[in-house]
């Protein structure tokens, strides 16, 4: 056992293989009963010693369909949440030692858009990353869906004005906890990096537009989830009205009295699914421009001053869309034209329709479905490029990467899919050190150990000094629009200037992003 002192009281964690782990430390008061839909409040102090050796609850959320039933033989799964409760505002801390060494701190924001996921998932275990780079890793649980991102500003003027961003304010509160407590866990509060993948990267993007978060972190990594714009107030209001109508309620008090299961079921209907609201023009529960927490979009039309001076590491995977659509029933057997229509109607919207034909020039032998998926992938890639362009225009330092590793599982048909970078970033690609990778079927190939060293090493170097260069990689220049130097992590990692530039040009005048 190992102990530490926080501003709310003492905690007892567990030590294993040289890493001390503290799971479920409260960073704010439980947002239950009269605090449901209110901003996060200060954590309640506790007497004596709080045991934090077991996992705390994740925020209540809808169930996701199991991805890749076809890969069950490789033991690939996607949900590792053990229990749910509205009392979920906690952090997990992984550290090489409870001492005064002042190590770089890496704060992970989980994926799952703004409606599902948990910082407790095994793939986010920070032990190997701590061991590889002598850093402190923190993973965050916060409110999701309606609990964290439902705009109630038009239904009350008493504490609910910023409710569309309370899940984001939870993260700000967790960063304040890091500032005030992480030195006790061997971390340096002046060297905090926020990083996240997919929905976690979208949260990182939003933090770069939050003035209240300025100074709480000093570098940011955006993995496969650039979000350039917050939700517009009118869209947030329409989403709230649709939810009220679905539930048959007309007051916040009535909403507070509903069972959480009822609220989540209605949320999924309004959003069009558990991950509804990623694309298209429908309802959306995500951070919104409210004039209080977010005054302007973080990267549209320019980089928000709230993020100026924060070095950025931005990137994506070569074939993002392959995993994003793999859960759709029967998709492999559909005719290409039907596949495109189904995906456009139900998942991505029709905003890419006019681009698909443009990809015929760069992919003349591809089917219309493959061209559509290439455009979907580039929705993420181009969003990252747009973010980089606007950050550098504001004088910021940016490094760009792309992961091209194609796992042999499923005959290589996934390409280099969405989420493949997570295992590499955390150095969680094996069952060593007591860590079981939940995606270990994706990490069986010969070059995985090298890529794990290269990618986790870059993340660690960036957290340490704001620059991802390290001795296992070729020299990695800053991203500038005259060269567009990009680190390609693949069979032989190398710098490529303006990779797939012809397809980047197809997007001229469009922002991309989630």
């Amino acid at each position: 056992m190992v102990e530490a002192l926080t501003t709310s009281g003492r905690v007892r964690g567990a030590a294993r293989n040289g890493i001390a782990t503290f799971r479920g430390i409260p960073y704010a008061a439980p947002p239950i009963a009269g605090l449901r839909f209110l901003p996060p409040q200060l954590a309640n102090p506790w007497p004596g010693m709080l045991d934090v050796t077991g996992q705390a609850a994740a925020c209540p959320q809808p169930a996701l369909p199991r991805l890749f039933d076809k890969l069950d033989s490789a033991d690939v799964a996607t949900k590792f949440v053990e229990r749910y409760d509205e009392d979920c505002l906690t952090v997990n801390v992984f550290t090489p030692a409870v001492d005064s060494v002042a190590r770089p701190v890496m704060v992970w924001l989980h994926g799952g858009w703004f409606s599902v996921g948990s910082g407790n998932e095994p793939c986010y275990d920070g032990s190997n990353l701590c061991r590889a780079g002598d850093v402190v890793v923190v993973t965050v649980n916060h409110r999701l869906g309606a609990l964290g991102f439902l705009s109630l500003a038009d239904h009350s003027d008493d504490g609910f004005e910023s409710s569309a961003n309370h899940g984001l304010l939870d993260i700000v509160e967790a960063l304040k906890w890091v500032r005030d407590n992480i030195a006790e866990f061997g971390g340096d509060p002046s060297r905090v990096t926020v990083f996240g993948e997919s929905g976690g990267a979208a949260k990182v993007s939003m933090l770069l537009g939050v003035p209240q978060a300025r100074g709480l972190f000093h570098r940011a990594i955006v993995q496969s989830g650039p979000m350039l714009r917050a939700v517009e107030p009118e869209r947030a209001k329409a989403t709230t009205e649709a939810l009220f109508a679905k539930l048959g309620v007309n007051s916040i008090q009535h909403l507070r009295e509903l069972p959480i299961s009822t609220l989540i079921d209605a949320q999924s209907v309004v959003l069009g699914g558990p991950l509804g609201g990623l694309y298209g023009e429908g309802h959306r529960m995500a951070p919104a421009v409210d004039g209080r927490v977010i005054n302007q979009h973080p990267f549209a039309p320019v980089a928000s001053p709230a993020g100026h001076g924060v070095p950025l590491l931005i990137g994506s995977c070569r074939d993002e869309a392959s995993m994003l659509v793999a859960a759709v029933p029967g998709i492999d057997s559909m005719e290409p034209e039907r596949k495109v229509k189904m995906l456009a109607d139900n998942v991505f919207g029709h905003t890419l329709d006019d681009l698909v034909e443009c990809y015929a020039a760069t992919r003349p032998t591809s089917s219309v479905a493959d061209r559509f998926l290439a455009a979907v992938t580039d929705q993420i890639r181009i969003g990252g490029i747009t973010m980089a362009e606007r950050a550098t225009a504001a004088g910021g330092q940016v490094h760009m990467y792309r992961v091209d590793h194609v796992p042999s599982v499923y005959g290589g048909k996934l390409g280099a899919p969405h989420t493949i970078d997570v295992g590499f970033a955390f150095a969680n690609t094996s069952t060593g050190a007591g860590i079981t990778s939940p995606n270990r079927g994706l990490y069986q190939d010969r070059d995985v150990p090298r890529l794990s060293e290269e990618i986790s090493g870059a993340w660690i170097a960036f957290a340490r000094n704001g620059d991802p260069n390290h001795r296992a990689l070729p020299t990695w220049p800053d991203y500038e629009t005259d060269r567009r130097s990009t680190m390609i992590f693949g069979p032989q990692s190398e710098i490529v200037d303006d990779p797939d530039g012809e397809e980047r040009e197809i997007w001229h005048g469009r922002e991309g992003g989630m």
Side-chain angles (χ1 to χ4, degrees):
M1 295 296 179
V2 61
E3 299 177 4
L5 177 64
T6 76
T7 50
S8 297
R10 298 196 67 83
V11 293
R12 178 185 292 119
R16 182 177 183 182
N17 296 328
I19 301 298
T21 303
F22 302 81
R23 299 182 186 273
I25 304 175
Y27 63 82
I32 58 178
L35 295 182
R36 186 192 268 188
F37 303 119
L38 282 179
Q41 308 294 307
L42 291 177
N44 303 319
W46 52 83
M49 186 72 67
L50 181 66
D51 185 274
V52 287
T53 56
Q55 275 190 349
C59 183
Q61 57 194 264
L64 277 177
R66 181 180 175 86
L67 292 179
F68 297 135
D69 285 337
K70 65 191 78 173
L71 294 177
D72 278 351
S73 60
D75 198 20
V76 176
T78 58
K79 284 301 292 179
F80 294 87
V81 175
E82 48 301 310
R83 66 185 182 91
Y84 305 95
D85 196 284
E86 289 186 69
D87 180 2
C88 63
L89 303 187
T90 61
V91 291
N92 304 311
V93 179
F94 306 84
T95 180
V98 176
D99 57 22
S100 57
V101 169
R103 300 169 179 85
V105 181
M106 303 180 71
V107 178
W108 175 259
L109 306 180
H110 67 77
W113 193 228
F114 294 92
S115 52
V116 304
S118 164
N120 303 339
E121 297 183 22
C123 56
Y124 306 149
D125 187 296
S127 300
N128 284 340
L129 195 55
C130 291
R131 192 175 290 107
D134 197 31
V135 297
V136 176
V137 178
V138 179
T139 66
V140 180
N141 288 309
H142 57 85
R143 283 175 286 183
L144 299 167
L147 292 172
F149 300 99
L150 181 67
S151 176
L152 299 171
D154 293 319
H155 292 269
S156 173
D157 57 1
D158 186 20
F160 299 94
E161 299 91 344
S162 58
S163 59
N165 291 305
H166 285 171
L168 201 58
L169 285 182
D170 291 345
I171 298 171
V172 171
E173 198 65 27
L175 290 170
K176 290 179 181 177
W177 184 93
V178 168
R179 177 197 62 194
D180 297 340
N181 292 278
I182 207 64
E184 174 73 13
F185 296 84
D188 183 353
S190 70
R191 284 191 295 170
V192 175
T193 298
V194 290
F195 68 132
E197 185 270 343
S198 192
K203 296 161 195 172
V204 172
S205 304
M206 289 293 106
L207 286 175
L208 289 161
V210 176
Q212 293 178 48
R214 186 164 179 81
L216 296 175
F217 63 95
H218 314 95
R219 345 201 189 285
I221 305 175
V222 179
Q223 301 176 219
S224 300
M227 187 175 177
L228 309 180
R229 296 175 178 271
V231 177
E232 296 288 356
E234 298 78 14
R235 192 177 187 184
K237 179 180 179 180
T239 300
T240 301
E241 297 304 325
L243 184 70
F244 270 56
K246 176 63 182 175
L247 290 167
V249 302
N250 56 19
S251 71
I252 295 174
Q253 184 56 38
H254 192 176
L255 200 65
R256 278 178 160 173
E257 294 169 353
L258 291 174
I260 188 60
S261 58
T262 300
L263 183 63
I264 288 175
D265 287 347
Q267 167 190 309
S268 292
V269 171
V270 168
L271 296 180
L275 281 177
L278 275 81
Y279 298 98
E281 300 301 320
H283 296 305
R284 210 174 203 194
M285 288 180 190
V289 176
D290 63 358
R292 291 175 172 81
V293 178
I294 299 177
N295 300 313
Q296 65 184 82
H297 300 294
F299 287 95
V302 297
S304 167
H308 285 184
V310 177
L312 302 179
L313 178 56
I314 304 170
S316 59
C317 301
R318 195 195 66 190
D319 304 290
E320 297 277 356
S322 65
M323 183 171 285
L324 293 173
V325 303
V328 179
I331 188 122
D332 287 342
S333 61
M334 290 183 187
E335 293 295 322
E337 290 77 9
R338 183 180 168 219
K339 182 187 295 188
V340 170
K341 185 177 187 310
M342 186 278 301
L343 291 172
D345 287 347
N346 300 298
V347 183
F348 298 106
H350 288 268
T351 58
L352 304 178
D353 284 356
D354 61 328
L355 286 177
V356 175
E357 190 57 37
C358 297
Y359 280 76
T362 56
R363 300 170 185 248
T365 62
S366 297
S367 69
V368 64
D370 288 339
R371 293 171 195 162
F372 180 84
L373 293 181
V376 170
T377 287
D378 275 354
Q379 178 92 352
I380 294 175
R381 181 174 76 99
I382 299 302
I385 289 173
T386 303
M387 178 181 287
E389 291 172 345
R390 292 173 180 174
T392 56
Q397 178 188 9
V398 178
H399 285 83
M400 184 74 71
Y401 74 88
R402 192 178 75 191
V403 177
D404 280 19
H405 171 68
V406 177
S408 58
V409 69
Y410 194 44
K413 291 182 181 179
L414 293 176
H418 192 64
T419 77
I420 190 70
D421 52 326
V422 174
F424 292 128
F426 275 87
N428 285 343
T429 57
S430 72
T431 57
I435 307 301
T436 300
S437 169
N439 293 325
R440 59 182 176 270
L442 299 177
Y443 301 112
Q444 295 177 331
D445 299 288
R446 182 178 302 174
D447 55 352
V448 162
R450 172 185 58 81
L451 285 165
S452 183
E453 178 186 3
E454 290 176 349
I455 295 175
S456 66
W459 271 225
I460 290 164
F462 185 76
R464 192 169 300 282
N465 55 37
D467 186 330
N469 278 284
H470 65 100
R471 62 185 181 183
L473 288 173
T475 301
W476 189 345
D478 290 1
Y479 187 85
E480 302 287 353
T481 54
D482 58 343
R483 281 189 60 188
R484 302 184 183 275
S485 300
T486 303
M487 181 65 74
I488 304 295
F489 291 109
Q492 180 177 340
S493 297
E494 60 183 344
I495 289 293
V496 175
D497 290 342
D498 197 16
D500 296 325
E502 288 182 275
E503 294 184 342
R504 176 184 59 78
E505 287 289 347
I506 289 173
W507 285 76
H508 183 71
R510 294 176 181 249
E511 294 179 332
M514 298 182 77

